[in-house]
């Protein structure tokens, strides 16, 4: 519905309302804020969004967001290359990093197995994970998948797939509530769940 009769405003509201956590009301507030701010702010905002799309790619190794073929975490020589933290999504890396309790590298799955939503193992970066286990001489995979029913099933699927490899598979300790998203859990709780992680 076109409340204001201004197509440019309506289309901005419509686009903003597709962002996660942004409902129609918030989208309207943001759009009107942008409308009222000076032209320089609006141009910079638009520029940074375009730059983000043009100047980033996915890390070839871990599928984190990256400016080059490898992300800053994969390039960091102070990181323990024998440990991988397996996450669903890029935002989960931010959650784990903010706890400062994990010093290995990551692997972004790109979701969880969910046959009902049409997500099968081959749609995720599982094959690449298996390749990394073979090629990178990994000692531990810490599964930090969000503890939903599908997340649990995905962890079990992957641990079965890797059971003949000589790699320790752990998961975050309880303390991360069932059905919750890592992204919304405070860093101290995540930190504790990492330190007290258990064998899967
Ligand atoms: Zn990477």
């Amino acid at each position: 519905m076109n409340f204001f009769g201004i197509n440019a405003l309506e289309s901005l509201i419509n686009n903003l309302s597709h962002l996660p956590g942004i409902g129609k009301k918030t989208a309207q507030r943001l759009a009107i804020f942008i409308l009222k701010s000076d032209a320089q702010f609006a141009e910079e905002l638009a520029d940074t969004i375009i730059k983000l799309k043009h100047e980033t790619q996915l890390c070839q190794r871990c599928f984190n967001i990256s400016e080059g073929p490898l992300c800053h975490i994969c390039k960091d020589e102070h990181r323990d290359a024998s440990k991988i933290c397996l996450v669903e999504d890029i935002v989960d890396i931010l959650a784990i990093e903010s706890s400062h309790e994990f010093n290995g590298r990551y692997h972004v799955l790109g979701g969880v197995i969910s046959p009902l939503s049409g997500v099968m193992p081959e749609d995720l970066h599982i094959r690449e994970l298996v390749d990394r286990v073979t090629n990178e001489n990994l000692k531990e995979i810490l599964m930090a998948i969000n503890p939903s029913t599908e997340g649990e099933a995905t962890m079990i699927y992957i641990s079965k797939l890797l059971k003949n490899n000589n790699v320790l598979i752990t998961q975050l300790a309880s303390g991360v509530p069932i059905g919750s998203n890592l992204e919304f859990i405070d860093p101290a709780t995540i930190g504790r769940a990492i330190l007290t992680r258990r064998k899967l």
Side-chain angles (χ1 to χ4, degrees):
M1 197 191 297
N2 195 332
F3 288 104
F4 301 100
I6 300 167
N7 287 334
L9 183 60
E10 289 306 323
S11 87
L12 179 59
I13 292 170
N14 188 34
N15 281 315
L16 289 171
S17 66
H18 290 124
L19 297 172
I22 306 289
K24 198 86 191 170
K25 277 254 148 60
T26 309
Q28 287 170 354
R29 246 198 336 267
L30 292 173
I32 289 173
F33 176 85
I34 294 167
L35 174 73
K36 291 202 288 194
S37 51
D38 55 38
Q40 194 194 348
F41 173 80
E43 275 159 23
E44 272 177 23
L45 180 64
D47 273 357
T48 50
I49 292 170
I50 292 164
K51 251 195 181 143
L52 180 69
K53 290 306 292 179
H54 288 169
E55 295 179 11
T56 58
Q57 53 183 291
L58 293 183
C59 173
Q60 287 172 1
R61 182 189 281 151
C62 75
F63 303 98
N64 185 16
I65 193 126
S66 178
E67 283 181 322
L70 288 179
C71 73
H72 71 292
I73 293 174
C74 283
K75 280 195 292 195
D76 185 346
E77 287 175 6
H78 300 294
R79 292 267 176 173
D80 182 348
S82 73
K83 291 190 174 83
I84 279 185
C85 179
L86 186 64
V87 293
E88 259 178 75
D89 193 14
I90 291 161
V91 291
D92 299 323
I93 294 182
L94 299 178
I96 302 284
E97 285 294 288
S98 64
S99 77
H100 303 293
E101 294 294 355
F102 182 74
N103 189 41
R105 291 174 178 166
Y106 289 89
H107 190 84
V108 181
L109 271 185
V112 286
I113 302 166
S114 173
L116 287 178
S117 315
V119 184
M120 305 310 280
E122 56 271 25
D123 299 317
L124 306 172
H125 299 302
I126 294 177
R127 172 104 320 260
E128 292 89 342
L129 176 69
V130 175
D131 289 346
R132 289 184 70 181
V133 171
T134 317
N135 301 332
E136 292 178 30
N137 198 19
L138 298 179
K139 290 197 177 72
E140 182 184 351
I141 297 177
L142 166 58
M143 304 237 200
I145 306 295
N146 293 311
S148 61
T149 314
E150 285 141 344
E152 297 283 349
T154 304
M155 287 194 267
I156 290 166
Y157 176 89
I158 293 172
S159 64
K160 276 186 184 157
L161 203 61
L162 295 174
K163 75 172 187 299
N164 292 328
N165 291 278
N166 199 16
V167 62
L168 175 68
I169 298 174
T170 55
Q171 71 176 127
L172 292 179
S174 50
V176 177
I178 300 292
S180 60
N181 261 355
L182 290 181
E183 128 180 60
F184 302 118
I185 297 173
D186 68 285
T189 303
I190 293 180
R192 257 199 316 278
I194 294 172
L195 288 175
T196 55
R197 63 185 178 268
R198 55 195 155 91
K199 202 167 177 293
L200 189 85

